[in-house]
Amino acid sequence: MEFIRSYDRRAAVLYAHEWAFGRNPAFYDYEDIGGDCTNFASQCIFAGSGVMNFTPTFGWYYIDSNQKAPAWTGVPYLYNFLTRKTPSVGPVAEEVPIWEIMPGDIVQLSFKGVAFQHSPVVVRANKPQSTEEILVAAHSYDADNRPLSTYEYQKVRYLHITGVIRP
């Protein structure tokens, strides 16, 4: 495996803008069976990373609606995959303070303060010091260029993608 710091943030953001209000037919739309936000976030991350991790159960991949890793569509599983401690193929992230967030990164929200339930994609963040300065794109309540401050949530975590491990 080779760690390459190249995560194409521009490609991730362009993908987010292109599909924020639509659905890429190459991927199943999970909107009616629990929500599509993390599926959309994973698609954006994939657009910026170009690799999947096909490790059963603990990887991060999408083949079709029935053949996907839990991390592709599940908020806590995506977090666990991105912040994993053992090196494996795929994008890598770390939880950071608000001022380190960049376009192409992921924000995860907990609406009730217990579990995290939403994974918007950052599409703009110019030296963010507050949630008003972070704009996101998302599915499950489709949005593009939506200020993070307009969400009502109890907890937030910022996931900065630091790079991609290639096979």
Side-chain angles (χ1 to χ4, degrees):
M1 287 185 290
E2 177 184 5
F3 187 78
I4 300 176
R5 290 201 172 269
S6 62
Y7 171 64
D8 190 341
R9 296 177 178 285
R10 184 175 181 274
V13 169
L14 287 173
Y15 186 95
H17 288 314
E18 181 176 356
W19 294 105
F21 294 107
R23 300 299 186 266
N24 182 337
F27 298 92
Y28 186 77
D29 178 5
Y30 296 91
E31 189 73 33
D32 294 332
I33 54 173
D36 199 55
C37 70
T38 304
N39 176 42
F40 176 67
S42 286
Q43 291 173 43
C44 294
I45 296 168
F46 178 64
S49 68
V51 297
M52 292 182 188
N53 180 319
F54 291 95
T55 304
T57 308
F58 299 107
W60 176 75
Y61 63 89
Y62 178 94
I63 298 169
D64 61 35
S65 62
N66 295 313
Q67 298 180 82
K68 63 179 175 17
W72 191 268
T73 55
V75 176
Y77 304 109
L78 178 61
Y79 175 85
N80 290 340
F81 176 77
L82 290 174
T83 62
R84 66 198 180 281
K85 301 300 179 213
T86 304
S88 62
V89 172
V92 177
E94 62 185 6
E95 198 168 337
V96 297
I98 190 173
W99 56 85
E100 291 183 28
I101 206 75
M102 297 173 66
D105 288 340
I106 304 298
V107 175
Q108 291 193 323
L109 303 175
S110 172
F111 298 120
K112 297 181 181 174
V114 182
F116 285 87
Q117 301 121 321
H118 194 45
S119 299
V121 178
V122 177
V123 294
R124 192 163 126 213
N126 297 330
K127 297 184 183 180
Q129 299 297 315
S130 70
T131 55
E132 291 85 16
E133 298 164 311
I134 297 173
L135 301 182
V136 298
H139 279 184
S140 298
Y141 305 114
D142 294 359
D144 192 17
N145 289 310
R146 179 177 176 176
L148 186 58
S149 61
T150 63
Y151 285 92
E152 292 184 25
Y153 57 88
Q154 299 296 313
K155 291 174 20 180
V156 60
R157 60 187 175 199
Y158 303 98
L159 301 177
H160 174 65
I161 299 177
T162 58
V164 180
I165 298 175
R166 305 227 179 253

